[in-house]
């Protein structure tokens, strides 16, 4: 059951699509303070746990830290990071006597102090006095999550090819670079379904343009790649270059489609193209206009997109430049630059990127009136991607397109997936990805994944192998790296057959992963489940956060430390260990309890729960060539309910899509 409470005059975010009447009573469970902003306080006992918050750092149980819900362009993702790229204000509070969920529907900053300042208190606060608060009660955590997911709407469903392995890099500068990537994989028979185009493909980083010198006729090139069963997936950034003669810029100016400053003048800031304007995605007319631009690229044969820089990321604004010049001129009047003067100048320049001053200078024209950006910040990326989804729907209503975004808010899950932003080639970021997956699923984001191998810094061979061993289970499986880093395509390393065997296993698992994804999307369920949710009466399981249940049949326990020979694994029940070694699978029945499992870096081990079975097919070089007639069931169970469709159409409720497989 869901109850809805109103504070002040909330901005209508469209996060919740189910009609829920307002309650006239006061908010239960919490002590509410409206003296300064809004503050909600709840006592916590030592055993109580708090789950959720979607994309956030630290553990699955969020207790013990302060989290700031504010879409932030911050690739560090360390334990000290308070905000990441998404803002997902849903939590489940599990106590001895009561378990319930809470969604704070507020598009500006919300702070979750979860037993950090006070070890026995949960304090949620915001300077914004306008928000909806939803309380969700249920008999179990899964009941609560299901009720919430029904309220916020069904999760996005990508085309089936988007479950294949994909390769990306910021620096594929022309057609030959992409051809070489495809050749590198195809020559070694390593499966591949897509290559991503970063900002290099555009004409001077202008949205919906193509650098004809580097990429020629994109339709011809896309057709060439499609003949190899490779999709091209271009990036779209949030900023529109200020340039006379550029049609997107001129249309936006003519129709007042850009965000403005307080005086109504289009806001200027520097991103990749130089000085840009930002489309006002909270204005429905501007949203419709920008979304229809995606057809420029779909008409060229493009079937997928990734939206980036949409927190929005700002390198600096014109206002910052003007203030910086004033500061330098002031210090230039002195005979000698003092240490304090040097520090002042350095600190000012260093703090200009994504600064609160700039965000407070942006204004939106919305159906609910004129709003300062700081009050609706977390809706920007969500509505950019909502814009894209509407445009793609109009371009081809019957077709599924791949679409995912960097910034997000609850509600965007209906339109696209996300990747978890710019990470680093750090071992700790494998564990970060593992722990963030359940929280994202709780908030409706099912098509998720990280930059495998890490975006920043140089990736080692063993790090990529270990990361791929987790990535073969995430719906979005993309290897992505920054320019000037070491090349980390699988064929760039010694013994590439080790990479092939792991990616082959991914393709063998796709019938299972696709089935579990579709069941989770249709039924409001999670695909990645903490052991604490699945085994609530098992104290060890409740404390184990580096293993996950995937779907209903599999448990994974990835290796995430350097030079490890294996790892300790806790089995909450009897399970069958499946080991991939040299492309071959072996099976070992194991008893409930603690085990040390040897896992060489070129092997993968996962576990099938007792009395469960999963389907495997033969590997193929791409999803389109998977032969579902080769399916076999592995595990001790006798049957499995397979979901299968053509991978493109939207007849998700067709009963013929479900098929019960039985062991021979």
């Amino acid at each position: 059951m869901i109850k809805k409470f109103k504070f002040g005059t909330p901005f209508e975010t469209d996060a919740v699509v189910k009609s829920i009447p307002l309650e006239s009573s006061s908010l239960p469970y919490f002590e509410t303070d409206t003296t300064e902003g809004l503050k909600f306080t709840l006592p916590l006992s030592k055993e109580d746990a708090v789950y959720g918050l979607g994309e956030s750092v630290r553990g699955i149980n969020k207790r013990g830290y302060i989290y700031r819900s504010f879409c932030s362009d911050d690739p560090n993702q360390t334990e000290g990071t308070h905000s990441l790229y998404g803002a997902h204000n849903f939590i489940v509070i599990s106590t001895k006597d009561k378990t319930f969920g809470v969604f704070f529907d507020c598009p500006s900053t919300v702070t979750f102090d979860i037993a950090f300042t006070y070890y026995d208190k949960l304090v949620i606060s915001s300077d914004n006095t306008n928000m909806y608060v939803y309380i969700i009660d249920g008999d179990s955590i899964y009941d609560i999550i299901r009720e919430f997911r029904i309220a916020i709407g069904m999760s996005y469903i990508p085309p089936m090819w988007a479950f294949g392995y994909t390769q990306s890099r910021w620096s594929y500068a022309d057609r030959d670079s992409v051809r070489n990537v495809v050749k590198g994989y195809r020559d070694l028979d390593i499966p591949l379904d897509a290559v991503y185009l970063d900002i290099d493909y555009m004409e001077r980083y202008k949205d919906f343009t193509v650098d004809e010198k580097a990429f020629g006729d994109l339709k011809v090139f896309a057709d060439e790649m499609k003949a190899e069963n490779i999709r091209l997936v271009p990036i779209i950034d949030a900023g529109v270059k200020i340039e006379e003669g550029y049609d997107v810029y001129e249309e936006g100016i003519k129709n007042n489609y850009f965000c403005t400053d307080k005086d109504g003048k289009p806001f200027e800031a520097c991103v990749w193209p130089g000085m840009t304007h930002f489309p006002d995605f909270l204005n429905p007319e501007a949203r419709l206009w920008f979304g229809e631009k995606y057809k420029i690229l779909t008409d060229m044969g493009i079937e997928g997109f990734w939206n980036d820089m949409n927190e929005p990321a700002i390198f600096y604004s014109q206002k910052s430049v003007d203030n910086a010049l004033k500061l330098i001129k002031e210090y230039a009047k002195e005979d000698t630059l003092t240490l304090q003067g040097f520090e002042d100048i350095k600190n000012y320049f260093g703090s200009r990127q994504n600064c609160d001053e700039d965000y407070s200078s942006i204004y939106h024209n919305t159906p609910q009136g004129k709003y300062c950006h700081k009050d609706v910040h977390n809706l920007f990326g969500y509505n950019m991607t909502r814009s894209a989804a509407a445009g793609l729907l109009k371009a081809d209503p019957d077709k599924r397109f791949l679409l995912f975004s960097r910034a997000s808010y609850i509600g965007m899950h209906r339109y696209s997936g996300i990747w978890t932003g710019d990470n680093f080639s750090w071992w700790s970021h494998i564990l970060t990805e593992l722990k963030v997956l359940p929280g994202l699923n709780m908030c409706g984001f099912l098509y998720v994944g990280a930059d495998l191998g890490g975006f920043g810094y140089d990736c080692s061979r063993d790090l990529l192998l270990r990361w791929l061993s987790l990535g073969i289970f995430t719906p979005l499986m993309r290897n992505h790296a920054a320019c000037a880093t070491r090349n980390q395509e699988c064929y760039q390393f010694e013994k590439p057959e080790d990479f092939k065997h792991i990616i082959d296993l991914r393709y063998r698992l796709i019938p299972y992963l696709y089935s579990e994804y579709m069941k989770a999307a249709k039924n409001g369920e999670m695909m990645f489940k903490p052991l604490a949710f699945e085994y609530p009466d098992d104290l060890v399981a409740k404390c184990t956060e580096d293993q996950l249940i995937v779907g209903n049949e599999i448990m994974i326990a990835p290796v995430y430390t350097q030079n490890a020979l294996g790892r300790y694994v806790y089995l909450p029940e009897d399970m069958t260990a499946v080991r991939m070694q040299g492309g071959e699978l072996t099976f070992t029945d194991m008893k409930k309890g603690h085990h040390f499992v040897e896992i060489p870096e070129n092997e993968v081990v996962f576990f099938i729960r007792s009395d469960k079975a999963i389907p495997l097919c033969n590997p193929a070089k791409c999803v389109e060539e998977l032969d579902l007639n080769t399916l076999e069931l592995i595990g001790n169970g006798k049957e499995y309910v397979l979901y299968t469709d053509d991978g493109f159409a939207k007849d998700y409720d067709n009963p013929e899509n479900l098929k019960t497989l039985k062991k021979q």
Side-chain angles (χ1 to χ4, degrees):
M1 182 175 65
I2 302 181
K3 293 183 178 179
K4 178 180 180 180
F5 301 85
K6 179 180 179 180
F7 294 87
T9 306
F11 189 89
E12 300 294 337
T13 66
D14 297 330
V16 174
V17 293
K18 180 180 179 181
S19 179
I20 301 171
L22 279 172
E23 295 290 324
S24 57
S25 59
S26 59
L27 187 71
Y29 306 126
F30 293 93
E31 176 186 322
T32 303
D33 182 355
T34 58
T35 306
E36 295 182 10
L38 284 174
K39 181 187 290 185
F40 307 97
T41 304
L42 178 76
L44 292 176
S45 69
K46 190 174 182 180
E47 297 79 17
D48 297 343
V50 180
Y51 303 106
L53 291 184
E55 190 175 14
S56 54
V57 298
R58 298 209 176 194
I60 294 174
N61 181 355
K62 312 311 292 186
R63 186 171 182 144
Y65 197 53
I66 295 177
Y67 308 88
R68 183 170 173 253
S69 180
F70 185 84
C71 296
S72 302
D73 176 16
D74 186 350
N76 288 295
Q77 301 187 27
T78 66
E79 289 192 28
T81 306
H82 293 282
S83 303
L84 291 178
Y85 296 98
H88 309 131
N89 303 338
F90 174 60
I91 57 176
V92 173
I93 301 159
S94 178
T95 74
K96 182 179 180 181
D97 301 320
K98 184 72 176 175
T99 297
F100 63 96
V102 195
F103 173 42
F104 299 89
D105 190 4
C106 176
S108 59
T109 305
V110 179
T111 300
F112 294 80
D113 186 335
I114 306 178
F116 180 80
T117 302
Y118 306 99
Y119 78 96
D120 59 352
K121 290 182 182 178
L122 164 64
V123 181
I124 299 103
S125 59
S126 177
D127 291 337
N128 193 331
T129 58
N130 307 301
M131 71 172 71
Y132 291 114
V133 179
Y134 297 82
I135 300 290
I136 307 103
D137 290 308
D139 294 331
S140 69
I141 291 179
Y142 287 143
D143 286 339
I144 292 164
I145 293 168
R146 191 177 299 109
E147 281 293 322
F148 178 63
R149 294 270 299 279
I150 291 171
I152 61 176
M154 193 174 88
S155 299
Y156 158 79
I157 296 175
M160 191 173 177
W161 64 261
F163 283 77
Y165 176 72
T166 61
Q167 181 63 55
S168 182
R169 182 179 175 85
W170 171 22
S171 66
Y172 294 154
D174 52 32
R175 286 168 295 182
D176 285 343
S177 299
V178 176
R179 290 179 180 125
N180 288 337
V181 170
V182 174
K183 185 176 187 300
Y185 279 97
R186 291 289 189 248
D187 284 354
L188 294 171
D189 200 26
I190 302 175
L192 183 70
D193 264 274
V195 177
Y196 290 81
L197 305 180
D198 211 313
I199 56 176
D200 315 274
Y201 83 92
M202 303 181 203
E203 178 193 329
R204 290 179 291 119
Y205 308 143
K206 295 187 296 184
D207 282 340
F208 310 112
T209 68
V210 177
D211 185 332
E212 294 184 2
K213 182 177 180 182
F215 282 89
D217 185 328
L218 187 61
K219 186 178 189 316
V220 172
F221 186 46
D223 289 344
E224 175 190 331
M225 290 292 101
K226 188 69 180 297
E228 293 273 353
N229 281 317
I230 297 292
R231 267 81 175 183
L232 299 177
V233 183
I235 196 170
I236 301 293
D237 280 350
V240 172
K241 183 176 178 60
I242 300 172
E243 179 179 281
E244 296 295 331
Y246 172 34
D247 58 348
V248 181
Y249 162 74
E250 291 192 339
E251 289 172 17
I253 288 292
K254 178 182 177 181
N255 295 290
N256 299 314
Y257 287 154
F258 294 125
C259 297
T260 68
D261 60 19
K262 191 173 183 179
D263 298 324
K265 180 182 176 183
F267 178 81
E268 293 186 18
C270 181
V271 201
W272 294 118
M275 297 309 291
T276 67
H277 294 322
F278 294 112
D280 187 356
F281 294 114
L282 276 69
N283 176 348
E285 293 182 4
R287 197 161 62 230
L288 176 65
W289 161 73
F290 193 85
E292 289 179 345
K293 294 297 179 185
Y294 285 75
K295 191 174 186 297
I296 294 171
L297 294 169
T298 62
D299 284 348
M300 299 179 187
I302 299 301
E303 299 178 63
F305 299 88
W306 50 307
N307 288 342
D308 197 8
M309 304 295 285
N310 54 355
E311 291 71 36
I314 296 175
F315 296 163
Y316 58 83
S317 68
Q318 188 60 52
K319 182 178 179 180
S320 291
V321 171
D322 294 341
N323 290 340
L325 292 174
K326 289 179 183 177
L327 183 64
I328 292 172
K329 288 177 181 178
E330 286 298 316
Y331 280 109
K333 295 176 183 177
E334 303 177 7
D335 294 336
T336 304
L337 181 63
T338 64
L339 178 59
Q340 184 60 52
F342 173 76
E343 289 294 326
D344 289 346
I345 293 172
K346 182 181 72 171
N347 290 338
Y348 185 82
F349 276 93
S351 64
R352 291 306 87 198
Q353 189 165 347
N354 306 318
C355 68
D356 289 341
E357 182 182 359
D358 283 342
Y359 287 142
S360 298
S361 301
I362 304 172
Y363 283 80
H364 296 272
N365 176 28
T366 84
Q368 300 166 60
K370 187 175 182 179
Y371 272 79
C372 179
H373 177 82
K374 68 178 182 179
D375 294 325
V376 291
H377 170 80
N378 293 332
L379 297 180
F380 189 84
Y382 159 28
N383 279 284
M384 176 188 179
T385 302
R386 183 182 183 183
S387 165
L392 295 173
L393 180 65
K394 186 174 182 181
D396 193 335
D398 300 320
K399 183 176 183 176
R400 291 184 244 167
F401 288 88
L402 171 60
L403 181 63
F404 60 93
S405 169
R406 191 168 77 174
S408 60
Y409 185 80
I410 290 174
M412 197 193 82
H413 71 285
R414 298 190 297 271
Y415 307 106
S416 81
I418 66 169
W419 93 101
T420 51
D422 296 345
N423 56 8
F424 290 146
S425 297
W426 293 348
W427 288 90
S428 62
H429 278 184
I430 300 180
L431 185 58
T432 296
E433 179 187 7
L434 181 72
K435 291 185 178 183
V436 81
L437 291 170
L440 287 170
N441 278 194
M442 289 171 69
C443 297
F445 292 96
L446 297 180
Y447 191 76
V448 295
D451 287 344
L452 301 176
F455 177 72
Y457 298 121
D458 293 329
C459 182
S460 63
R461 181 180 185 276
D462 58 339
L463 175 61
L464 183 56
L465 284 167
R466 294 298 196 192
W467 215 326
L468 287 171
S469 297
L470 168 58
I472 61 173
F473 296 98
T474 60
L476 170 59
M477 188 184 183
R478 179 177 80 149
N479 178 338
H480 183 46
C483 66
T485 64
R486 179 182 186 178
N487 292 323
Q488 63 187 49
E489 297 85 2
C490 294
Y491 57 82
Q492 302 280 3
F493 297 95
E494 301 87 354
K495 295 188 67 178
E497 62 269 22
D498 289 341
F499 296 91
K500 171 180 165 50
H501 294 323
I502 293 176
I503 298 174
D504 275 348
L505 179 58
R506 160 61 170 224
Y507 279 71
R508 300 196 69 186
L509 285 165
I510 283 176
Y512 173 74
L513 297 172
Y514 186 69
S515 293
E516 294 303 299
Y517 185 100
M518 296 301 296
K519 294 171 191 176
K522 285 168 57 63
N523 301 324
E525 296 173 351
M526 298 173 65
M527 188 171 175
F528 295 97
K529 306 169 184 177
L531 269 58
F533 290 12
E534 199 71 5
Y535 306 94
D537 298 324
D538 185 326
L539 182 60
V540 177
K542 289 178 72 172
C543 299
T544 301
E545 294 201 342
D546 60 352
Q547 303 171 203
L548 295 176
I549 301 296
V550 180
N552 290 306
E553 288 78 13
I554 286 178
M555 186 184 78
I556 60 172
V559 175
Y560 52 86
T561 53
Q562 190 172 8
N563 299 319
L565 301 178
R567 58 161 290 172
Y568 284 95
V569 177
Y570 175 66
L571 302 185
E573 59 178 282
D574 294 351
M575 295 188 180
T576 299
V578 183
R579 181 181 296 272
M580 186 285 296
Q581 183 180 45
E584 301 297 322
L585 300 183
T586 58
F587 309 92
T588 305
D589 289 337
M590 301 177 68
K591 294 294 185 181
K592 173 182 176 178
H594 298 272
H595 304 266
F596 182 81
V597 181
E598 292 188 18
I599 311 175
E601 64 185 29
N602 61 348
E603 297 183 16
V604 176
V605 176
F606 64 93
F607 304 86
I608 301 177
R609 302 169 68 181
S610 59
D611 300 323
K612 302 286 187 183
I614 70 167
L616 292 180
C617 66
N618 291 336
K621 71 178 183 181
C622 61
V623 169
E624 201 160 318
E625 294 187 5
L626 288 175
D627 183 0
L628 298 188
N629 294 317
T630 65
L631 289 177
E632 61 172 323
L633 290 183
I634 63 171
N636 292 325
K638 301 301 182 184
E639 63 181 39
Y640 177 80
V641 178
L642 180 77
Y643 181 97
T644 180
D645 56 28
D646 68 1
F648 294 95
K650 298 178 179 180
D651 58 340
Y652 310 128
D653 296 323
N654 187 338
E656 295 183 2
N657 293 342
L658 291 174
K659 178 181 179 182
T660 300
L661 305 177
K662 296 181 181 291
K663 276 192 175 177
Q664 300 298 320

